[in-house]
Amino acid sequence: MIKLYCFGESGNAYKAALTLELSGLEWEPVYVDFFNGEARTPEFRELNDMGEVPVMVDGDLTLSQSGMIQDYVSSKSGKLGGRSANQRREILRWVLWDNHKLSSQAGTTRFLMNFLPEEKRPVEAIAFLQARLKAAYATLNAALEGRSWLVGDSVTIADLACCGYLFYPEPFGFDRADWPNIDAWLDRIAALPGWKHPYDLMPGSPADRA
Amino acid sequence: MIKLYCFGESGNAYKAALTLELSGLEWEPVYVDFFNGEARTPEFRELNDMGEVPVMVDGDLTLSQSGMIQDYVSSKSGKLGGRSANQRREILRWVLWDNHKLSSQAGTTRFLMNFLPEEKRPVEAIAFLQARLKAAYATLNAALEGRSWLVGDSVTIADLACCGYLFYPEPFGFDRADWPNIDAWLDRIAALPGWKHPYDLMPGSPADRA
């Protein structure tokens, strides 16, 4: 069975976990105690030289990077990967954009605003990241104008990449009400058979540490 | 002939341009006047809904995202793309990591430190990004320990992604002397037949605006 090293608070892990769940492949989560430094231990670096979650293990194959895991799972399952070479290119384009402009900055901003003690929060850096994120939300909202899904006419890993941080309850400056196309698209994703919220799909949530 | 919309100061464009140049495919640059806002015009958004450089046009096909262009060029030319399914996965893993952790933050930090008027530079945001970049340099330097190239035994688009911002002269906190494996690897890349510095490969450089 496929193992996914993950924890509930990680939107990057959520992209991989949601792709696995909706692909129909059998998988199980392995909890990584990120908040106590497990991802930075030598043992974890043996698993992933990038020192990051998620990591997928499927038999002899170990992969990291959520986008790479998504690509592997969609190839293996024959699902969520588009229907033509052009669609597959469009999908990778959005996965890369998400990694570059959306999830990277959303994840960092959410971490700074929610998982650091208040006196340690870098206020100027948060404002800077939020301004850049606003441009990313605008790009995503415009791309969804008149469309149900980012690529083609059904859900793909492009959608499951870009939504990675957008279902979380902790505030980081993203308000669905400001972006009606994103709002409707998140409702469509949440209505997919088998969809689960990150804190229901993976072990670990802020509630555990409360 | 393949056209690449680009400008010299963009390390993201450089990754695509250097991949094209070393692949042996015929290509020509089309200058985008980024510093006068051309990438944000409605005309440019028609070409790329993400409003970003680089954009590649090959006949009927238009692609953006440096990593997608690199993947396309290596498939089309049969070069720089690794020799097995495992190597191709490792390559995409490093391209994604670069987009997420290295080039995205290096490009932003370099922009803030060199292309904004001094009084507008967000000092705290720069320090924050530099601290995160230090972790990325450490990961890259460790991955290159005892190796000539990131994946397999020859140069691939993974190397050409990760080096995207590391040849530029403008300071952003990266000092080759601090990272000996990165330093030697950059020398190896610069010694490849056909290699060119970004300001020699693409139109536009700070010298034009001096």
Side-chain angles (χ1 to χ4, degrees), chain A residues 12 15 45 48-52 61-68 71-72 86 88-90 92-97 99-101 103-105 108 112 121-126 128-129 132 135 138-139 142-143, chain B residues 12 15 45 48-52 61-68 71-72 86 88-90 92-97 99-101 103-105 108 112 121-126 128-129 132 135 138-139 142-143:
Chain A
N12 291 314
K15 300 178 216 173
R45 286 254 176 199
N48 179 11
D49 55 357
M50 295 163 178
E52 293 174 340
L61 181 68
T62 300
L63 285 178
S64 78
Q65 290 294 321
S66 61
M68 184 59 247
D71 183 77
Y72 174 80
N86 264 341
R88 283 189 286 276
R89 285 194 281 262
E90 279 299 296
L92 180 56
R93 206 169 74 89
W94 280 106
V95 168
L96 285 159
W97 176 84
N99 277 252
H100 194 159
K101 288 287 169 74
S103 286
S104 48
Q105 303 191 109
T108 303
L112 298 176
R121 290 180 199 157
V123 179
E124 190 199 83
I126 289 170
F128 172 77
L129 288 164
R132 285 175 57 90
T139 294
Chain B
N12 291 314
K15 300 177 216 174
R45 286 255 176 198
N48 180 11
D49 54 356
M50 295 163 179
E52 294 173 341
L61 182 67
T62 300
L63 285 179
S64 78
Q65 289 294 318
S66 61
M68 184 60 246
D71 182 77
Y72 175 80
N86 264 341
R88 282 188 287 277
R89 283 193 282 262
E90 279 299 295
L92 179 56
R93 205 169 75 90
W94 280 106
V95 168
L96 285 159
W97 176 84
N99 276 251
H100 193 158
K101 288 287 168 74
S103 285
S104 48
Q105 301 191 113
T108 303
L112 297 175
R121 289 180 201 158
V123 179
E124 189 199 83
I126 290 169
F128 172 77
L129 288 164
R132 284 175 57 90
T139 294

Side-chain angles (χ1 to χ4, degrees), chain B residues 179-198:
Chain B
W179 310 102
N181 297 335
I182 298 177
D183 185 46
W185 165 79
L186 290 173
D187 279 341
R188 276 190 290 278
I189 294 173
L192 292 168
W195 178 85
K196 287 183 183 165
H197 187 278

